[in-house]
Amino acid sequence: MTEVRFEALRVSAMRVLWVLAGIALVTGAGMAAAVVAMIRDSTSPEAFLQSVTSSVTVAMTRGPFAVSVSVLLGILLASRDLRRGASGTTMVLFPRRGRLFGARLAVIGIVAAGTSAATALLSLGAASLVLPTGAEVDGQVMWRVAGMFVIAQTCFAIIGAALAILTRSAGAAAAIAFGWILIVEPAARLAVLATGRLAEVAEYLPVAASNAMVHSLSAGSAANEPDLLSATPVTASIALLGLTVVLTAWAWAGFRNRPLL
């Protein structure tokens, strides 16, 4: 499809893609090794050997940092020609907006999935280098964790792209996304913890849901008989995918009716 080739060429020519991918790979590997080393040195050898898989999971996924990189990637890749008056040329070349919109999000999703998969594998390798002798990671669990990690980061990249399309501004989209990631959601979770109410519901907030998708796999949450509303990898995935679909549909509604100038 011509639109997909155009978007692939457009994205591959953007220097910010390679900069962010490099940052994700280098910092991901460094942080993974540092986190595992810190956990190893702060616990007894016996306790660390019992929790090695969950420790490597924490190191590999890195919570809000990985989410922030994915969101920023989606925002910057989607916002290059979305400023007011700057998108007319692209829309004239490709008048079928549905195909252009779908191609743009598809290419961004593929780039985000590839970047997060490479980051997860490199982080796992870096974390393995600092494991003590005799420590063994559950390979099947780590593959499932890596798969969920890729799904979550792809969703956040598409969410970032949808915000950029909605606002037509990388700055505004970044302010909304990072305001939520760094301020609104942490404040909401603290409020829930302080009141002791709706704790299970708070697990479905976007960043919390991405954490539940990966960490509950290695923590053995299913064995602990969670409450009915507690987030599991499946329910957290549904919640995050649902948010992605809603924002994508909203972005499409604005993109479809956008004037050329």
Side-chain angles (χ1 to χ4, degrees), residues 86-125:
S87 59
T89 302
T90 302
M91 291 184 180
V92 168
L93 290 173
F94 303 102
R96 299 181 66 174
R97 296 192 182 187
R99 292 176 62 170
L100 178 62
F101 181 84
R104 180 158 298 184
L105 290 191
V107 169
I108 290 173
I110 291 171
V111 169
T115 301
S116 57
T119 302
L121 292 176
L122 188 59
S123 299
L124 178 59

PDB file of all heavy atoms in Angstrom, residues 86-125:
ATOM      1  N   ALA A  86       0.251  22.668   7.917  1.00  0.00           N
ATOM      2  CA  ALA A  86       1.398  21.897   7.437  1.00  0.00           C
ATOM      3  C   ALA A  86       1.014  20.526   6.899  1.00  0.00           C
ATOM      4  O   ALA A  86       1.842  19.851   6.293  1.00  0.00           O
ATOM      5  CB  ALA A  86       2.417  21.733   8.569  1.00  0.00           C
ATOM      6  N   SER A  87      -0.230  20.103   7.125  1.00  0.00           N
ATOM      7  CA  SER A  87      -0.628  18.757   6.709  1.00  0.00           C
ATOM      8  C   SER A  87      -1.329  18.733   5.356  1.00  0.00           C
ATOM      9  O   SER A  87      -1.658  17.659   4.857  1.00  0.00           O
ATOM     10  CB  SER A  87      -1.560  18.136   7.765  1.00  0.00           C
ATOM     11  OG  SER A  87      -2.710  18.941   7.940  1.00  0.00           O
ATOM     12  N   GLY A  88      -1.562  19.900   4.779  1.00  0.00           N
ATOM     13  CA  GLY A  88      -2.297  19.962   3.521  1.00  0.00           C
ATOM     14  C   GLY A  88      -1.631  19.192   2.399  1.00  0.00           C
ATOM     15  O   GLY A  88      -2.292  18.490   1.632  1.00  0.00           O
ATOM     16  N   THR A  89      -0.307  19.296   2.293  1.00  0.00           N
ATOM     17  CA  THR A  89       0.403  18.621   1.204  1.00  0.00           C
ATOM     18  C   THR A  89       0.241  17.115   1.289  1.00  0.00           C
ATOM     19  O   THR A  89      -0.046  16.438   0.285  1.00  0.00           O
ATOM     20  CB  THR A  89       1.893  18.984   1.239  1.00  0.00           C
ATOM     21  OG1 THR A  89       2.032  20.402   1.140  1.00  0.00           O
ATOM     22  CG2 THR A  89       2.625  18.307   0.103  1.00  0.00           C
ATOM     23  N   THR A  90       0.396  16.576   2.479  1.00  0.00           N
ATOM     24  CA  THR A  90       0.252  15.125   2.646  1.00  0.00           C
ATOM     25  C   THR A  90      -1.158  14.673   2.307  1.00  0.00           C
ATOM     26  O   THR A  90      -1.362  13.643   1.640  1.00  0.00           O
ATOM     27  CB  THR A  90       0.590  14.721   4.093  1.00  0.00           C
ATOM     28  OG1 THR A  90       1.923  15.139   4.391  1.00  0.00           O
ATOM     29  CG2 THR A  90       0.487  13.220   4.277  1.00  0.00           C
ATOM     30  N   MET A  91      -2.154  15.434   2.739  1.00  0.00           N
ATOM     31  CA  MET A  91      -3.536  15.033   2.489  1.00  0.00           C
ATOM     32  C   MET A  91      -3.919  15.194   1.023  1.00  0.00           C
ATOM     33  O   MET A  91      -4.803  14.485   0.526  1.00  0.00           O
ATOM     34  CB  MET A  91      -4.470  15.845   3.386  1.00  0.00           C
ATOM     35  CG  MET A  91      -4.355  15.495   4.859  1.00  0.00           C
ATOM     36  SD  MET A  91      -5.539  16.386   5.879  1.00  0.00           S
ATOM     37  CE  MET A  91      -5.121  15.733   7.500  1.00  0.00           C
ATOM     38  N   VAL A  92      -3.275  16.133   0.309  1.00  0.00           N
ATOM     39  CA  VAL A  92      -3.507  16.251  -1.123  1.00  0.00           C
ATOM     40  C   VAL A  92      -2.909  15.050  -1.854  1.00  0.00           C
ATOM     41  O   VAL A  92      -3.510  14.488  -2.780  1.00  0.00           O
ATOM     42  CB  VAL A  92      -2.930  17.575  -1.659  1.00  0.00           C
ATOM     43  CG1 VAL A  92      -2.904  17.575  -3.186  1.00  0.00           C
ATOM     44  CG2 VAL A  92      -3.751  18.744  -1.166  1.00  0.00           C
ATOM     45  N   LEU A  93      -1.717  14.645  -1.435  1.00  0.00           N
ATOM     46  CA  LEU A  93      -1.079  13.485  -2.058  1.00  0.00           C
ATOM     47  C   LEU A  93      -1.837  12.197  -1.771  1.00  0.00           C
ATOM     48  O   LEU A  93      -1.889  11.295  -2.615  1.00  0.00           O
ATOM     49  CB  LEU A  93       0.365  13.361  -1.552  1.00  0.00           C
ATOM     50  CG  LEU A  93       1.352  14.429  -2.033  1.00  0.00           C
ATOM     51  CD1 LEU A  93       2.673  14.266  -1.298  1.00  0.00           C
ATOM     52  CD2 LEU A  93       1.561  14.331  -3.539  1.00  0.00           C
ATOM     53  N   PHE A  94      -2.419  12.113  -0.580  1.00  0.00           N
ATOM     54  CA  PHE A  94      -3.139  10.900  -0.168  1.00  0.00           C
ATOM     55  C   PHE A  94      -4.532  11.309   0.322  1.00  0.00           C
ATOM     56  O   PHE A  94      -4.760  11.451   1.530  1.00  0.00           O
ATOM     57  CB  PHE A  94      -2.370  10.164   0.932  1.00  0.00           C
ATOM     58  CG  PHE A  94      -0.979   9.784   0.541  1.00  0.00           C
ATOM     59  CD1 PHE A  94       0.106  10.524   0.980  1.00  0.00           C
ATOM     60  CD2 PHE A  94      -0.745   8.696  -0.272  1.00  0.00           C
ATOM     61  CE1 PHE A  94       1.398  10.186   0.615  1.00  0.00           C
ATOM     62  CE2 PHE A  94       0.538   8.344  -0.640  1.00  0.00           C
ATOM     63  CZ  PHE A  94       1.610   9.095  -0.201  1.00  0.00           C
ATOM     64  N   PRO A  95      -5.462  11.520  -0.594  1.00  0.00           N
ATOM     65  CA  PRO A  95      -6.791  12.025  -0.206  1.00  0.00           C
ATOM     66  C   PRO A  95      -7.631  11.030   0.589  1.00  0.00           C
ATOM     67  O   PRO A  95      -8.588  11.432   1.250  1.00  0.00           O
ATOM     68  CB  PRO A  95      -7.439  12.347  -1.558  1.00  0.00           C
ATOM     69  CG  PRO A  95      -6.732  11.463  -2.542  1.00  0.00           C
ATOM     70  CD  PRO A  95      -5.325  11.350  -2.053  1.00  0.00           C
ATOM     71  N   ARG A  96      -7.300   9.749   0.522  1.00  0.00           N
ATOM     72  CA  ARG A  96      -8.065   8.754   1.288  1.00  0.00           C
ATOM     73  C   ARG A  96      -7.549   8.752   2.721  1.00  0.00           C
ATOM     74  O   ARG A  96      -6.607   8.037   3.070  1.00  0.00           O
ATOM     75  CB  ARG A  96      -7.942   7.383   0.637  1.00  0.00           C
ATOM     76  CG  ARG A  96      -8.482   7.356  -0.792  1.00  0.00           C
ATOM     77  CD  ARG A  96      -8.380   5.989  -1.419  1.00  0.00           C
ATOM     78  NE  ARG A  96      -9.243   5.011  -0.755  1.00  0.00           N
ATOM     79  CZ  ARG A  96      -9.424   3.773  -1.181  1.00  0.00           C
ATOM     80  NH1 ARG A  96      -8.801   3.348  -2.274  1.00  0.00           N
ATOM     81  NH2 ARG A  96     -10.220   2.947  -0.542  1.00  0.00           N
ATOM     82  N   ARG A  97      -8.191   9.550   3.539  1.00  0.00           N
ATOM     83  CA  ARG A  97      -7.667   9.802   4.887  1.00  0.00           C
ATOM     84  C   ARG A  97      -7.683   8.565   5.772  1.00  0.00           C
ATOM     85  O   ARG A  97      -6.838   8.417   6.651  1.00  0.00           O
ATOM     86  CB  ARG A  97      -8.461  10.932   5.545  1.00  0.00           C
ATOM     87  CG  ARG A  97      -8.305  12.270   4.834  1.00  0.00           C
ATOM     88  CD  ARG A  97      -8.851  13.394   5.658  1.00  0.00           C
ATOM     89  NE  ARG A  97      -8.735  14.656   4.957  1.00  0.00           N
ATOM     90  CZ  ARG A  97      -9.019  15.835   5.495  1.00  0.00           C
ATOM     91  NH1 ARG A  97      -9.430  15.897   6.750  1.00  0.00           N
ATOM     92  NH2 ARG A  97      -8.897  16.944   4.787  1.00  0.00           N
ATOM     93  N   GLY A  98      -8.650   7.692   5.555  1.00  0.00           N
ATOM     94  CA  GLY A  98      -8.688   6.481   6.371  1.00  0.00           C
ATOM     95  C   GLY A  98      -7.449   5.631   6.176  1.00  0.00           C
ATOM     96  O   GLY A  98      -6.861   5.123   7.138  1.00  0.00           O
ATOM     97  N   ARG A  99      -7.006   5.493   4.941  1.00  0.00           N
ATOM     98  CA  ARG A  99      -5.814   4.698   4.659  1.00  0.00           C
ATOM     99  C   ARG A  99      -4.565   5.400   5.188  1.00  0.00           C
ATOM    100  O   ARG A  99      -3.649   4.747   5.708  1.00  0.00           O
ATOM    101  CB  ARG A  99      -5.712   4.444   3.163  1.00  0.00           C
ATOM    102  CG  ARG A  99      -6.815   3.533   2.637  1.00  0.00           C
ATOM    103  CD  ARG A  99      -6.772   3.357   1.144  1.00  0.00           C
ATOM    104  NE  ARG A  99      -5.539   2.722   0.699  1.00  0.00           N
ATOM    105  CZ  ARG A  99      -5.345   2.287  -0.540  1.00  0.00           C
ATOM    106  NH1 ARG A  99      -6.312   2.417  -1.454  1.00  0.00           N
ATOM    107  NH2 ARG A  99      -4.206   1.721  -0.881  1.00  0.00           N
ATOM    108  N   LEU A 100      -4.519   6.718   5.056  1.00  0.00           N
ATOM    109  CA  LEU A 100      -3.363   7.461   5.575  1.00  0.00           C
ATOM    110  C   LEU A 100      -3.291   7.355   7.091  1.00  0.00           C
ATOM    111  O   LEU A 100      -2.219   7.112   7.657  1.00  0.00           O
ATOM    112  CB  LEU A 100      -3.455   8.924   5.149  1.00  0.00           C
ATOM    113  CG  LEU A 100      -2.340   9.850   5.654  1.00  0.00           C
ATOM    114  CD1 LEU A 100      -0.988   9.401   5.122  1.00  0.00           C
ATOM    115  CD2 LEU A 100      -2.617  11.296   5.249  1.00  0.00           C
ATOM    116  N   PHE A 101      -4.429   7.514   7.755  1.00  0.00           N
ATOM    117  CA  PHE A 101      -4.484   7.424   9.214  1.00  0.00           C
ATOM    118  C   PHE A 101      -4.076   6.031   9.680  1.00  0.00           C
ATOM    119  O   PHE A 101      -3.265   5.868  10.597  1.00  0.00           O
ATOM    120  CB  PHE A 101      -5.900   7.761   9.683  1.00  0.00           C
ATOM    121  CG  PHE A 101      -6.084   7.718  11.168  1.00  0.00           C
ATOM    122  CD1 PHE A 101      -5.756   8.798  11.964  1.00  0.00           C
ATOM    123  CD2 PHE A 101      -6.612   6.576  11.778  1.00  0.00           C
ATOM    124  CE1 PHE A 101      -5.935   8.755  13.340  1.00  0.00           C
ATOM    125  CE2 PHE A 101      -6.799   6.529  13.146  1.00  0.00           C
ATOM    126  CZ  PHE A 101      -6.463   7.620  13.932  1.00  0.00           C
ATOM    127  N   GLY A 102      -4.655   5.009   9.046  1.00  0.00           N
ATOM    128  CA  GLY A 102      -4.315   3.645   9.428  1.00  0.00           C
ATOM    129  C   GLY A 102      -2.857   3.314   9.182  1.00  0.00           C
ATOM    130  O   GLY A 102      -2.212   2.649  10.004  1.00  0.00           O
ATOM    131  N   ALA A 103      -2.312   3.789   8.057  1.00  0.00           N
ATOM    132  CA  ALA A 103      -0.902   3.528   7.753  1.00  0.00           C
ATOM    133  C   ALA A 103       0.002   4.194   8.768  1.00  0.00           C
ATOM    134  O   ALA A 103       1.005   3.616   9.211  1.00  0.00           O
ATOM    135  CB  ALA A 103      -0.578   4.030   6.348  1.00  0.00           C
ATOM    136  N   ARG A 104      -0.357   5.418   9.160  1.00  0.00           N
ATOM    137  CA  ARG A 104       0.480   6.132  10.124  1.00  0.00           C
ATOM    138  C   ARG A 104       0.534   5.409  11.461  1.00  0.00           C
ATOM    139  O   ARG A 104       1.617   5.183  12.029  1.00  0.00           O
ATOM    140  CB  ARG A 104      -0.050   7.561  10.307  1.00  0.00           C
ATOM    141  CG  ARG A 104       0.744   8.399  11.304  1.00  0.00           C
ATOM    142  CD  ARG A 104       0.549   9.872  11.066  1.00  0.00           C
ATOM    143  NE  ARG A 104       1.032  10.235   9.732  1.00  0.00           N
ATOM    144  CZ  ARG A 104       1.059  11.485   9.277  1.00  0.00           C
ATOM    145  NH1 ARG A 104       0.652  12.483  10.031  1.00  0.00           N
ATOM    146  NH2 ARG A 104       1.507  11.730   8.065  1.00  0.00           N
ATOM    147  N   LEU A 105      -0.613   5.010  11.966  1.00  0.00           N
ATOM    148  CA  LEU A 105      -0.628   4.322  13.257  1.00  0.00           C
ATOM    149  C   LEU A 105      -0.015   2.929  13.150  1.00  0.00           C
ATOM    150  O   LEU A 105       0.635   2.462  14.098  1.00  0.00           O
ATOM    151  CB  LEU A 105      -2.050   4.237  13.786  1.00  0.00           C
ATOM    152  CG  LEU A 105      -2.681   5.553  14.242  1.00  0.00           C
ATOM    153  CD1 LEU A 105      -3.977   5.274  14.982  1.00  0.00           C
ATOM    154  CD2 LEU A 105      -1.751   6.361  15.135  1.00  0.00           C
ATOM    155  N   ALA A 106      -0.215   2.256  12.020  1.00  0.00           N
ATOM    156  CA  ALA A 106       0.363   0.925  11.850  1.00  0.00           C
ATOM    157  C   ALA A 106       1.883   0.985  11.856  1.00  0.00           C
ATOM    158  O   ALA A 106       2.551   0.165  12.514  1.00  0.00           O
ATOM    159  CB  ALA A 106      -0.137   0.296  10.551  1.00  0.00           C
ATOM    160  N   VAL A 107       2.454   1.942  11.137  1.00  0.00           N
ATOM    161  CA  VAL A 107       3.911   2.069  11.098  1.00  0.00           C
ATOM    162  C   VAL A 107       4.453   2.434  12.478  1.00  0.00           C
ATOM    163  O   VAL A 107       5.460   1.868  12.937  1.00  0.00           O
ATOM    164  CB  VAL A 107       4.325   3.122  10.050  1.00  0.00           C
ATOM    165  CG1 VAL A 107       5.808   3.466  10.183  1.00  0.00           C
ATOM    166  CG2 VAL A 107       4.039   2.602   8.648  1.00  0.00           C
ATOM    167  N   ILE A 108       3.784   3.352  13.167  1.00  0.00           N
ATOM    168  CA  ILE A 108       4.231   3.723  14.517  1.00  0.00           C
ATOM    169  C   ILE A 108       4.139   2.522  15.453  1.00  0.00           C
ATOM    170  O   ILE A 108       5.038   2.279  16.279  1.00  0.00           O
ATOM    171  CB  ILE A 108       3.397   4.902  15.044  1.00  0.00           C
ATOM    172  CG1 ILE A 108       3.740   6.176  14.267  1.00  0.00           C
ATOM    173  CG2 ILE A 108       3.637   5.116  16.542  1.00  0.00           C
ATOM    174  CD1 ILE A 108       2.864   7.357  14.591  1.00  0.00           C
ATOM    175  N   GLY A 109       3.058   1.733  15.345  1.00  0.00           N
ATOM    176  CA  GLY A 109       2.934   0.548  16.180  1.00  0.00           C
ATOM    177  C   GLY A 109       4.020  -0.473  15.907  1.00  0.00           C
ATOM    178  O   GLY A 109       4.580  -1.068  16.838  1.00  0.00           O
ATOM    179  N   ILE A 110       4.354  -0.686  14.643  1.00  0.00           N
ATOM    180  CA  ILE A 110       5.414  -1.641  14.286  1.00  0.00           C
ATOM    181  C   ILE A 110       6.761  -1.168  14.812  1.00  0.00           C
ATOM    182  O   ILE A 110       7.549  -1.955  15.368  1.00  0.00           O
ATOM    183  CB  ILE A 110       5.462  -1.833  12.762  1.00  0.00           C
ATOM    184  CG1 ILE A 110       4.204  -2.570  12.284  1.00  0.00           C
ATOM    185  CG2 ILE A 110       6.709  -2.609  12.347  1.00  0.00           C
ATOM    186  CD1 ILE A 110       4.048  -2.610  10.785  1.00  0.00           C
ATOM    187  N   VAL A 111       7.039   0.127  14.664  1.00  0.00           N
ATOM    188  CA  VAL A 111       8.303   0.677  15.166  1.00  0.00           C
ATOM    189  C   VAL A 111       8.379   0.531  16.683  1.00  0.00           C
ATOM    190  O   VAL A 111       9.411   0.123  17.238  1.00  0.00           O
ATOM    191  CB  VAL A 111       8.443   2.157  14.753  1.00  0.00           C
ATOM    192  CG1 VAL A 111       9.608   2.817  15.490  1.00  0.00           C
ATOM    193  CG2 VAL A 111       8.646   2.272  13.251  1.00  0.00           C
ATOM    194  N   ALA A 112       7.286   0.846  17.374  1.00  0.00           N
ATOM    195  CA  ALA A 112       7.271   0.738  18.836  1.00  0.00           C
ATOM    196  C   ALA A 112       7.439  -0.709  19.282  1.00  0.00           C
ATOM    197  O   ALA A 112       8.166  -0.994  20.252  1.00  0.00           O
ATOM    198  CB  ALA A 112       5.967   1.315  19.385  1.00  0.00           C
ATOM    199  N   ALA A 113       6.770  -1.640  18.593  1.00  0.00           N
ATOM    200  CA  ALA A 113       6.898  -3.061  18.956  1.00  0.00           C
ATOM    201  C   ALA A 113       8.320  -3.547  18.755  1.00  0.00           C
ATOM    202  O   ALA A 113       8.878  -4.254  19.611  1.00  0.00           O
ATOM    203  CB  ALA A 113       5.921  -3.894  18.120  1.00  0.00           C
ATOM    204  N   GLY A 114       8.930  -3.175  17.634  1.00  0.00           N
ATOM    205  CA  GLY A 114      10.310  -3.587  17.383  1.00  0.00           C
ATOM    206  C   GLY A 114      11.281  -2.999  18.387  1.00  0.00           C
ATOM    207  O   GLY A 114      12.181  -3.687  18.888  1.00  0.00           O
ATOM    208  N   THR A 115      11.096  -1.710  18.703  1.00  0.00           N
ATOM    209  CA  THR A 115      11.989  -1.055  19.664  1.00  0.00           C
ATOM    210  C   THR A 115      11.849  -1.667  21.052  1.00  0.00           C
ATOM    211  O   THR A 115      12.853  -1.935  21.735  1.00  0.00           O
ATOM    212  CB  THR A 115      11.674   0.444  19.727  1.00  0.00           C
ATOM    213  OG1 THR A 115      11.840   1.021  18.429  1.00  0.00           O
ATOM    214  CG2 THR A 115      12.604   1.154  20.710  1.00  0.00           C
ATOM    215  N   SER A 116      10.611  -1.902  21.492  1.00  0.00           N
ATOM    216  CA  SER A 116      10.410  -2.465  22.829  1.00  0.00           C
ATOM    217  C   SER A 116      10.885  -3.911  22.900  1.00  0.00           C
ATOM    218  O   SER A 116      11.429  -4.345  23.931  1.00  0.00           O
ATOM    219  CB  SER A 116       8.933  -2.363  23.228  1.00  0.00           C
ATOM    220  OG  SER A 116       8.108  -3.014  22.281  1.00  0.00           O
ATOM    221  N   ALA A 117      10.724  -4.670  21.825  1.00  0.00           N
ATOM    222  CA  ALA A 117      11.212  -6.051  21.828  1.00  0.00           C
ATOM    223  C   ALA A 117      12.734  -6.086  21.921  1.00  0.00           C
ATOM    224  O   ALA A 117      13.311  -6.866  22.698  1.00  0.00           O
ATOM    225  CB  ALA A 117      10.744  -6.778  20.569  1.00  0.00           C
ATOM    226  N   ALA A 118      13.402  -5.229  21.134  1.00  0.00           N
ATOM    227  CA  ALA A 118      14.866  -5.175  21.196  1.00  0.00           C
ATOM    228  C   ALA A 118      15.331  -4.711  22.565  1.00  0.00           C
ATOM    229  O   ALA A 118      16.314  -5.230  23.121  1.00  0.00           O
ATOM    230  CB  ALA A 118      15.387  -4.239  20.103  1.00  0.00           C
ATOM    231  N   THR A 119      14.628  -3.732  23.136  1.00  0.00           N
ATOM    232  CA  THR A 119      14.995  -3.235  24.458  1.00  0.00           C
ATOM    233  C   THR A 119      14.824  -4.315  25.518  1.00  0.00           C
ATOM    234  O   THR A 119      15.675  -4.474  26.413  1.00  0.00           O
ATOM    235  CB  THR A 119      14.137  -2.012  24.815  1.00  0.00           C
ATOM    236  OG1 THR A 119      14.312  -1.001  23.818  1.00  0.00           O
ATOM    237  CG2 THR A 119      14.536  -1.442  26.167  1.00  0.00           C
ATOM    238  N   ALA A 120      13.725  -5.065  25.436  1.00  0.00           N
ATOM    239  CA  ALA A 120      13.488  -6.127  26.419  1.00  0.00           C
ATOM    240  C   ALA A 120      14.572  -7.197  26.346  1.00  0.00           C
ATOM    241  O   ALA A 120      15.092  -7.645  27.380  1.00  0.00           O
ATOM    242  CB  ALA A 120      12.109  -6.738  26.180  1.00  0.00           C
ATOM    243  N   LEU A 121      14.930  -7.608  25.140  1.00  0.00           N
ATOM    244  CA  LEU A 121      15.953  -8.648  24.994  1.00  0.00           C
ATOM    245  C   LEU A 121      17.316  -8.156  25.471  1.00  0.00           C
ATOM    246  O   LEU A 121      18.049  -8.885  26.158  1.00  0.00           O
ATOM    247  CB  LEU A 121      16.023  -9.090  23.536  1.00  0.00           C
ATOM    248  CG  LEU A 121      14.797  -9.849  23.016  1.00  0.00           C
ATOM    249  CD1 LEU A 121      14.949 -10.151  21.533  1.00  0.00           C
ATOM    250  CD2 LEU A 121      14.580 -11.142  23.803  1.00  0.00           C
ATOM    251  N   LEU A 122      17.667  -6.919  25.106  1.00  0.00           N
ATOM    252  CA  LEU A 122      18.953  -6.380  25.544  1.00  0.00           C
ATOM    253  C   LEU A 122      18.984  -6.189  27.052  1.00  0.00           C
ATOM    254  O   LEU A 122      20.003  -6.457  27.713  1.00  0.00           O
ATOM    255  CB  LEU A 122      19.225  -5.057  24.833  1.00  0.00           C
ATOM    256  CG  LEU A 122      20.620  -4.444  25.032  1.00  0.00           C
ATOM    257  CD1 LEU A 122      21.701  -5.397  24.546  1.00  0.00           C
ATOM    258  CD2 LEU A 122      20.730  -3.103  24.309  1.00  0.00           C
ATOM    259  N   SER A 123      17.872  -5.743  27.628  1.00  0.00           N
ATOM    260  CA  SER A 123      17.801  -5.570  29.076  1.00  0.00           C
ATOM    261  C   SER A 123      17.916  -6.904  29.794  1.00  0.00           C
ATOM    262  O   SER A 123      18.578  -7.015  30.829  1.00  0.00           O
ATOM    263  CB  SER A 123      16.482  -4.880  29.455  1.00  0.00           C
ATOM    264  OG  SER A 123      16.384  -3.607  28.863  1.00  0.00           O
ATOM    265  N   LEU A 124      17.254  -7.928  29.248  1.00  0.00           N
ATOM    266  CA  LEU A 124      17.351  -9.260  29.848  1.00  0.00           C
ATOM    267  C   LEU A 124      18.791  -9.760  29.808  1.00  0.00           C
ATOM    268  O   LEU A 124      19.294 -10.334  30.786  1.00  0.00           O
ATOM    269  CB  LEU A 124      16.430 -10.221  29.104  1.00  0.00           C
ATOM    270  CG  LEU A 124      16.431 -11.676  29.577  1.00  0.00           C
ATOM    271  CD1 LEU A 124      16.031 -11.764  31.038  1.00  0.00           C
ATOM    272  CD2 LEU A 124      15.487 -12.510  28.716  1.00  0.00           C
ATOM    273  N   GLY A 125      19.457  -9.528  28.673  1.00  0.00           N
ATOM    274  CA  GLY A 125      20.854  -9.934  28.580  1.00  0.00           C
ATOM    275  C   GLY A 125      21.734  -9.197  29.560  1.00  0.00           C
ATOM    276  O   GLY A 125      22.608  -9.799  30.213  1.00  0.00           O
TER     277      GLY A 125
END
